[in-house]
Amino acid sequence: RAIDQTIERIEKSHKRGEDCAIWAEIDKKAQDHPSSSIEAEDATNSDGIRVPKYFAMSQEVSVIGTGRDEATDGKSKHFDPASDDPRQYTLLKFYELNEGAVKMLLDGKDNMDLPFTPGPKEHEIIHHRSETPKSLLLMGRSGTGKTTCLVFRMWAQYHEYRQQGTRPKQMFLTKNEVLCREVQRSFNNMGRAWRKRIETNDPAAIEPDWSTITDAEKPEFLTSSEWLENLDVVLPGEQFFTPFELKKRVDTRKEKDSVTKGIEDYLTGRDVDEIVSTEGREEMNFPKFLKLWKRKLRGSRRSSLNEAIVWREIKSFIKGSIVSLHIGDNEDRSAQDRYLSLDEYLALGKKESRLDETQRREAYEIFVKYEKLKKESGFYDEGDLVHNIASRVSRLSRGDIEALATQGVSLIPVDSLFVDEVQDFTQSELYVLAMLCRDPNNLFLAGDTAQSISQGVDFRFTDVRQIFFEHFGGTKPDLLQLTHNYRSHAGVLRL
């Protein structure tokens, strides 16, 4: 009975999958494509038992309603099976059930998930190569597989490095600590699964136990906060944090994330002036800015700008744009004064800041007042920290950066950088990232402009491409896009 129920579920999954708008071609007539790798063999094994035919699937994914609805002669549509639960609208993931995977399941020793098999579009992105070395920007909505592609590409590159006998430094960065740990876990799972596969296919092969590989040989997985704190310690120049402030910041992050802490400060009614007292500087975030806005920034006059708009203008443009760093203009300029002047802010194009001139003047007036109150109250914001790091990095030559590696600094320079949820990073942060890479054309940036956990960041993929064009040899990154959502159906997406 259990077998019959399983078969029924499989049949139902395949039938539900046929309602999906995404499909790929499979070829029934291999002889029509003699030069391709598509095969349709009616094979018999050594015991004389016939095995199912094998049809290779096209690497191109099609969508109903795009003019390719009808399959051509000799070809059929392949629909991925969907969940058999009528309350769910997701496609099923597939796992490669090779001998190594079976051995791993039978051993039952590894508490891990098997890496699943990516689809044709994901496979294309994972192994994408340009004629000339270029960074890669991957854009896609939530549920389209951006993080999956990133992890697979990172692992493929790491494995290629190991086969070549080299140990370049890979790094993964994101703003979200939970996402950072999940990506690290997925990457480690791939390492364990690959070792099992090697052992099974060739027991004599020498493949080190993943658990014995040192941290120095593995990629770094960091949140942006951890990354900035480490840079503040290892880079030459005046440090931004005192030892006490740094310890307090790390301890606070261990207890709870800064967003939660800021919200609690706001809800408990603590005054901005009371938060710092004698405990050293405190980071200014949006909940604290909102409190400051209501009590001291907004004033009595009516304004056409709300607090969220002003915070966005400060964080993304006045203090977060690459122009605000003033790289090369005046190296003696204080890191605390690296922000746009009023004229520079007014000169921004409409595609950058969407405010008109009158609104920009008002926003800048509030910014000046905000900076004064922030310093007087013993606060700093992320822009202050990034500008301090950027000013120190801008003074380093490429040789200086390489010399730091010989002095035991493990974070820099980076050979290959992977950033997820890149829409949460400001232009100035991305500039520092690229500056600390050996090759700015070896970055993989994935993101979605429709979702962001960083309040106040206004992100455009075109801005990132412009940064590379103007500052790193005129090579614009390739822009790839994932358009099909595998997590939610169309009704949910329309909401």
Side-chain angles (χ1 to χ4, degrees), residues 125-129 134-136 149-172 187 190 210 217 219 414-419 437 439 441-444:
I125 292 172
I126 292 166
H127 300 284
H128 176 84
R129 292 183 184 274
K134 291 182 181 180
S135 291
L136 187 61
C149 290
L150 182 149
V151 175
F152 271 89
R153 187 177 176 92
M154 191 174 188
W155 168 254
Q157 189 182 83
Y158 176 83
H159 182 63
E160 181 180 347
Y161 286 150
R162 287 193 63 84
Q163 287 183 320
Q164 296 172 353
T166 58
R167 294 179 181 177
K169 172 62 68 176
Q170 289 178 293
M171 183 181 294
F172 170 84
F187 185 90
M190 287 186 178
W210 182 258
E217 298 177 86
V414 178
D415 293 285
S416 180
L417 180 67
F418 296 80
V419 180
C437 288
D439 183 5
N441 296 313
N442 198 14
L443 280 67
F444 184 94

Side-chain angles (χ1 to χ4, degrees), residues 19 29 43 48 65 126 167 199 234 282 295-296 298 334 343 345 358-359 392 404 409 422 451 475 482 495:
D19 294 330
K29 299 179 180 180
I126 292 166
R167 294 179 181 177
E199 290 175 347
V234 302
E282 187 92 2
R295 297 193 176 184
K296 299 183 178 181
R298 180 174 53 183
S334 168
D343 290 339
Y345 180 46
T358 302
Q359 291 173 320
R392 291 153 69 183
L404 288 173
V409 178
V422 68
Q451 56 174 331
T475 304
L482 288 169
L495 294 177

Side-chain angles (χ1 to χ4, degrees), residues 368-383:
V368 173
K369 189 176 181 180
Y370 158 75
E371 281 291 299
K372 182 174 182 295
L373 290 171
K374 174 170 64 69
K375 292 177 182 178
E376 291 175 350
S377 303
F379 277 85
Y380 69 90
D381 57 29
E382 191 175 60

Side-chain angles (χ1 to χ4, degrees), residues 238-261:
E238 183 179 355
Q239 292 188 18
F240 183 79
F241 294 114
T242 65
F244 176 80
E245 289 173 338
L246 186 59
K247 183 180 184 302
K248 177 186 174 185
R249 180 180 166 98
V250 173
D251 291 342
T252 301
R253 188 170 60 251
K254 288 180 180 178
E255 296 173 3
K256 60 185 71 175
D257 62 89
S258 60
V259 175
T260 302
K261 187 175 186 300

